[in-house]
Amino acid sequence: MTFTASAHDLYDALMDSKKHAAFTEAGATISRKVGGSFQTYDGYATGKNIELVPDKKIVQTWRASDWPEGHYSTITFLFCEKDGETTLEFTQTEIPAEAYQDIKQGWQEWYWDRLMTFLKS
């Protein structure tokens, strides 16, 4: 998906606790360090930062609070900026089969749509 924003602004919205909370309208505490933890959506999603390359890449372990205990997925955000727009390539692996459709819909409805609106303001 493509955002009318810089890679820096997109990365920052995802990694800054206050900005993340602003666009999701839910509590977020996000470490900006590799190995650091995060929680978003008032604790619904939690995990750890595996790889952080500012304005280029985020890799995190990620789990929803209603998933089986100890089950984590891996999410990857790749940013490519060109001509004032940033293409975000997002992948998530190891999603429990029974949660797949809800997670897919949730990213669109609760993240990407809201993030696009936030970055336009």
Side-chain angles (χ1 to χ4, degrees):
M1 71 208 81
T2 301
F3 293 84
T4 306
S6 69
H8 175 78
D9 288 347
L10 185 54
Y11 181 94
D12 206 41
L14 291 165
M15 292 302 297
D16 180 271
S17 298
K18 288 181 182 177
K19 290 178 182 176
H20 197 285
F23 86 79
T24 62
E25 300 177 3
T29 305
I30 303 168
S31 169
R32 294 182 79 122
K33 297 181 180 183
V34 171
S37 298
F38 70 87
Q39 69 82 20
T40 59
Y41 272 95
D42 298 324
Y44 173 75
T46 58
K48 291 192 183 292
N49 298 321
I50 304 301
E51 183 180 359
L52 299 173
V53 181
D55 308 339
K56 301 279 185 202
K57 185 177 188 180
I58 301 168
V59 180
Q60 300 170 316
T61 62
W62 189 98
R63 71 178 284 17
S65 60
D66 56 355
W67 285 9
E69 187 65 33
H71 187 105
Y72 283 84
S73 65
T74 301
I75 59 174
T76 303
F77 304 83
L78 295 173
F79 309 91
C80 182
E81 184 176 346
K82 184 177 179 181
D83 299 327
E85 295 185 329
T86 301
T87 300
L88 171 63
E89 182 182 320
F90 174 79
T91 56
Q92 183 172 17
T93 60
E94 299 106 30
I95 301 168
E98 64 276 7
Y100 180 82
Q101 284 303 323
D102 287 342
I103 293 298
K104 181 179 177 182
Q105 180 179 347
W107 281 109
Q108 187 62 50
E109 184 176 340
W110 300 104
Y111 268 81
W112 313 136
D113 293 346
R114 291 169 178 239
L115 187 53
M116 283 188 185
T117 300
F118 176 80
L119 291 169
K120 287 178 185 175
S121 60

